[in-house]
Amino acid sequence: MSTRHILLGLLAGGPSHGYDLKRRHDERFPQARPLAYGQVYTTLQRLVRDGLVEVDGTGSDGGPERTAYRTTAEGSRELAHWAGEIAAPAPFVTNEIFAKVVVSILSGGDPEAYLRAQRAAHMERMRELTALKTAKGADLATALSADYALNHLDADLRWMATTAARLTTLTAEVDTA
């Protein structure tokens, strides 16, 4: 995910300061890793440097002084270009779960037990996400984000089942290589 483009998108609705951008990011992307304030302000500084954002003004409203930012015409063009680009499927898939299965085989561990434990962890996370998206008052962004994560976890579970069924063959291949 491009923090730079997400911030441009959040600024598309009008000027805002870093604190509000961080809060709105965390609300709009509930399953994403929350942004750190330092990341927001560093990214805003780079956007200003690159001419995609400009300072709209400063104010304190009785609190600490805050700088408001707004997108420039160039920033709006950059955002439209980025939003219209097709995200290329990854040419290589690096998966920590697969790596741990292979390392478990190489080190004389128990890959079958690891897969069972990982499956249990995935199932628990799926229950949490299902509860989150079906909770009273859950907004659509939360439901869609949870659905996205649930589909990825489900794909992992299917892969784990396939791998567990092929462990004997995989172990023989890893041991002879």
Side-chain angles (χ1 to χ4, degrees):
M1 187 165 76
S2 168
T3 302
R4 151 189 194 104
H5 292 103
I6 296 300
L7 292 181
L8 280 172
L10 292 171
L11 284 169
S16 191
H17 52 78
Y19 176 83
D20 280 340
L21 291 168
K22 186 250 189 291
R23 182 185 50 76
R24 288 187 5 237
H25 168 275
D26 295 350
E27 288 172 357
R28 298 283 184 252
F29 303 96
Q31 299 304 313
R33 178 173 298 173
L35 286 179
Y37 286 105
Q39 183 179 10
V40 171
Y41 290 107
T42 299
T43 303
L44 285 169
Q45 289 170 354
R46 288 182 185 138
L47 289 168
V48 168
R49 177 199 67 202
D50 296 343
L52 303 175
V53 166
E54 61 191 8
V55 173
D56 188 56
T58 58
S60 66
D61 291 333
E65 188 171 279
R66 293 188 175 152
T67 302
Y69 300 88
R70 69 171 172 244
T71 55
T72 62
E74 186 177 342
S76 295
R77 284 190 297 275
E78 166 74 18
L79 179 62
H81 175 76
W82 175 80
E85 287 180 325
I86 301 302
F92 304 101
V93 178
T94 303
N95 185 309
E96 184 176 355
I97 299 169
F98 175 67
K100 288 183 176 185
V101 168
V102 172
V103 167
S104 180
I105 293 167
L106 289 170
S107 64
D110 186 349
E112 191 172 351
Y114 169 74
L115 286 170
R116 278 194 309 273
Q118 188 63 57
R119 181 181 187 287
H122 269 54
M123 295 298 293
E124 177 58 29
R125 181 64 180 142
M126 291 176 86
R127 284 189 286 277
E128 292 168 2
L129 288 166
T130 300
L132 184 68
K133 78 176 202 165
T134 59
K136 183 176 180 166
D139 61 9
L140 184 56
T142 297
L144 290 173
S145 182
D147 283 340
Y148 185 84
L150 284 163
N151 279 296
H152 281 267
L153 291 167
D154 184 58
D156 283 351
L157 287 173
R158 288 192 310 270
W159 177 86
M160 284 184 243
T162 300
T163 301
R166 297 175 173 169
L167 269 178
T168 302
T169 305
L170 179 61
T171 300
E173 285 183 12
V174 169
D175 285 343
T176 60

